[in-house]
Amino acid sequence: MKIRKSKERMLISLGGSLLVPGEIDWKFVKRFKQFIIKHIRQGYSFILVTGGGKTARKYIEAASQVSKITDDDSDWLGIHATRMNAHFIRTVFRSYAHPRINTNPHNLEDFYGVKEPILVAAGWRPGFSTDYDAVLLGKYLDVKRIINLSDIDYVCDKDPKKYADAKKIKNISWKEFRKIVGDTWQPGMSAPFDPVASKLAQAEGMEVAIMSGHNLENIKNYIAHEDFIGTVIK
Ligand code: UTP
């Protein structure tokens, strides 16, 4: 296939909640693959960062039943879950994806000037989230817009699972968003975007769009700068 990398390079953070909500959601991955390949044919290229999902939580819970584990231990189990998911994604994209998975967003030597239209990245080291890794990769690889896909449609002004009157937010500044999520990140936290990653994204002047991964037509609209369902933070 002839690849034209004439259009924008998009970074998509694939939340673990999409890839492994319980079991591995291969039906989602199958649809997502077709969607990405269609965009590659149009000239886009992608960085795909994979979260850990249920796999991470299952291992952390299991290890805690057997031994007293530290936060570091939990993180390493989480990191390996993100790497397993990254390898899975790299495998299903075969010839489209660079064979090496990035596991250190500060070391991109092998990734500059690659010819494949997809780079896959996973967790790096304890104390971070793949949201943070995504922002670092975006910074070094000169990405302007990050798409954060998970199983929520919008960011709300408060937790919609707890408050029935939570309001959906369409556009928000980093300053206001950071008032909602706070400053600290904990392993397994379920903020729409990691607070520490938010701080870096704000400093870098990056745009992050939060939307559901299930509506691919909607993601297409965002990529094409059209109206979409989701929250833009910038
Ligand atoms: P994520 O928190 O990024 O995945 O990584 P997730 O929870 O599946 O993603 P969302 O919430 O659906 O978007 C899973 C775990 O891996 C560890 C952390 O413990 C994190 O909670 N991790 C990941 C690290 O310690 N360092 C990293 O660089 C990435």
Side-chain angles (χ1 to χ4, degrees):
M1 187 191 65
K2 198 166 175 291
I3 295 163
R4 304 174 284 138
K5 277 194 253 177
S6 53
K7 291 206 174 122
E8 192 174 343
R9 169 141 68 176
M10 304 293 305
L11 193 153
I12 300 186
S13 178
L14 274 169
S17 54
L18 278 177
L19 297 172
V20 193
E23 297 302 312
I24 307 165
D25 191 353
W26 60 266
K27 285 184 182 156
F28 161 73
V29 175
K30 197 169 180 176
R31 287 170 52 230
F32 183 73
K33 181 184 172 187
Q34 284 161 354
F35 170 83
I36 292 293
I37 290 173
K38 207 165 145 191
H39 279 80
I40 289 172
R41 294 214 169 100
Q42 291 167 12
Y44 289 96
S45 58
F46 294 90
I47 300 160
L48 303 178
V49 186
T50 52
K54 258 293 185 319
T55 311
R57 270 149 248 168
K58 274 185 188 164
Y59 274 104
I60 292 165
E61 277 159 30
S64 314
Q65 296 293 334
V66 181
S67 296
K68 192 170 161 31
I69 65 165
T70 64
D71 281 354
D72 240 43
D73 293 329
S74 297
D75 280 348
W76 279 116
L77 289 168
I79 289 166
H80 284 284
T82 71
R83 292 179 181 176
M84 184 71 221
N85 286 340
H87 199 85
F88 168 53
I89 289 298
R90 179 249 169 279
T91 301
V92 298
F93 277 100
R94 287 180 187 276
S95 58
Y96 296 95
H98 187 62
R100 291 204 57 196
I101 289 159
N102 179 272
T103 55
N104 177 352
H106 290 292
N107 182 359
L108 287 156
E109 258 167 58
D110 293 340
F111 298 88
Y112 292 118
V114 297
K115 46 183 194 319
E116 295 87 356
I118 299 176
L119 285 180
V120 185
W124 172 40
R125 56 158 71 151
F128 300 93
S129 71
T130 47
D131 291 345
Y132 186 76
D133 302 329
V135 176
L136 279 175
L137 288 164
K139 170 182 163 175
Y140 293 133
L141 296 169
D142 204 26
V143 169
K144 304 280 177 268
R145 299 189 296 161
I146 291 180
I147 301 180
N148 192 274
L149 298 182
S150 63
D151 56 359
I152 58 166
D153 280 327
Y154 284 100
V155 171
C156 292
D157 61 348
K158 44 193 166 189
D159 190 344
K161 287 188 192 114
K162 289 189 201 144
Y163 305 92
D165 63 335
K167 284 190 199 68
K168 291 171 183 169
I169 299 171
K170 191 124 183 58
N171 288 288
I172 190 168
S173 66
W174 281 114
K175 193 167 167 235
E176 290 303 316
F177 179 75
R178 290 185 56 210
K179 280 190 198 157
I180 300 175
V181 293
D183 270 333
T184 48
W185 178 80
Q186 284 134 13
M189 188 176 189
S190 73
F193 203 68
D194 157 14
V196 183
S198 299
K199 194 174 173 186
L200 181 64
Q202 179 180 28
E204 294 300 323
M206 243 171 234
E207 174 173 318
V208 173
I210 313 264
M211 67 195 88
S212 163
H214 295 292
N215 186 346
L216 296 172
E217 187 64 24
N218 187 54
I219 307 169
K220 185 198 95 188
N221 291 343
Y222 174 73
I223 293 177
H225 297 272
E226 283 163 18
D227 200 27
F228 78 106
I229 299 163
T231 304
V232 171
I233 320 169
K234 63 180 174 188

